[in-house]
Amino acid sequence: MTASELLSEGYRPGAPTLDAEAIDEAQTHGMTCRKCGGLVRYEGWSKVGSYRALAVCCKCGHEEEF
């Protein structure tokens, strides 16, 4: 699911807790993009009762939920 799709479903940027953000950000440390091999960054999205985490490529912009 992409960031634009998450926005359209009512999600807002950010993790529900700082602990969730720290854990998922650590998961993306050193991770590479499946599309181009570039490094990715963590991006969290949440709404009441739901949380989604994306790995977003810093090089090509590919977004992948993890």
Side-chain angles (χ1 to χ4, degrees), residues 26-53:
Q27 288 289 322
T28 61
H29 184 74
M31 186 184 289
T32 57
C33 176
R34 292 181 189 208
K35 187 173 180 183
C36 77
L39 290 176
V40 301
R41 63 178 169 76
Y42 156 80
E43 195 172 285
W45 293 84
S46 59
K47 67 179 180 179
V48 175
S50 184
Y51 169 59
R52 312 292 279 273

Side-chain angles (χ1 to χ4, degrees), residues 2-3 10-12 14 20 24 36 38 49 54 59-66:
T2 67
Y11 285 85
R12 296 292 171 243
D24 287 342
C36 77
L54 299 179
K59 185 176 179 181
C60 75
H62 177 72
E63 300 170 331
E64 187 169 322
E65 189 170 354
F66 70 97

